[in-house]
Amino acid sequence: MQENGAVKKVNEPYLVDALSFTEAESRIIEAIKPYISGEFSISAVKKTKIAEIFFNENGDRYYMVKVNFITLDEKSGMEKKSASFILVQASSFSDALDQFNEGMKGSAADFEIASIAETPLCDVFPLNAVPGKPSTL
């Protein structure tokens, strides 16, 4: 609802951890229903290739980190890079980099950051099968 009383239609992207499109739609409807007045609809549901999420309760934005994991091909002796996408909740670009590096501490894998970009996501709804453990999407 705008200040002049007119209803404004908006599109807001959300990330939902689900096993099917039907489950994703059902979960997001239940999650946002208390915050919406009037009619609403789900305009699209699609899969993502996010390997992991690093949550930070102080972050108010979500950043997509494209990371290349580097392995050595034993046959050719050449380095091989495989890209993964990790979503990082942070308050700024530099905080996203810090949160990513913190999340990768202890990793035995060699990696390089290919890119970090702020996403338009409004919120993330993980499926926490075990309370207190991070969810992966």
Side-chain angles (χ1 to χ4, degrees):
M1 183 77 68
Q2 295 181 328
E3 289 179 12
N4 64 4
V7 176
K8 181 180 178 183
K9 186 175 183 176
V10 296
N11 285 320
E12 297 180 329
Y14 295 94
L15 182 65
V16 180
D17 187 4
L19 297 174
S20 68
F21 290 138
T22 305
E23 180 187 353
E25 190 171 346
S26 174
R27 288 194 57 222
I28 194 63
I29 288 170
E30 288 304 312
I32 64 174
K33 194 184 294 186
Y35 306 104
I36 295 177
S37 61
E39 291 186 32
F40 68 94
S41 64
I42 307 298
S43 59
V45 180
K46 63 182 179 178
K47 290 182 181 183
T48 65
K49 293 186 178 190
I50 297 172
E52 195 167 349
I53 301 175
F54 297 154
F55 288 102
N56 171 15
E57 58 188 48
N58 296 323
D60 60 347
R61 292 176 248 172
Y62 293 94
Y63 293 83
M64 187 66 69
V65 179
K66 180 180 179 184
V67 59
N68 290 323
F69 289 100
I70 303 166
T71 56
L72 190 62
D73 185 338
E74 292 179 17
K75 291 180 182 177
S76 67
M78 301 288 293
E79 283 187 352
K80 181 181 173 187
K81 295 180 182 180
S82 57
S84 288
F85 295 94
I86 297 176
L87 190 66
V88 178
Q89 185 178 14
S91 56
S92 66
F93 181 89
S94 61
D95 185 35
L97 178 59
D98 292 343
Q99 293 297 324
F100 172 79
N101 286 327
E102 182 66 28
M104 293 302 290
K105 268 188 181 172
S107 173
D110 290 331
F111 64 89
E112 65 183 12
I113 297 172
S115 66
I116 301 176
E118 186 175 350
T119 71
L121 289 173
C122 294
D123 208 350
V124 174
F125 297 94
L127 181 62
N128 290 323
V130 179
K133 289 201 174 184
S135 174
T136 58
L137 296 178

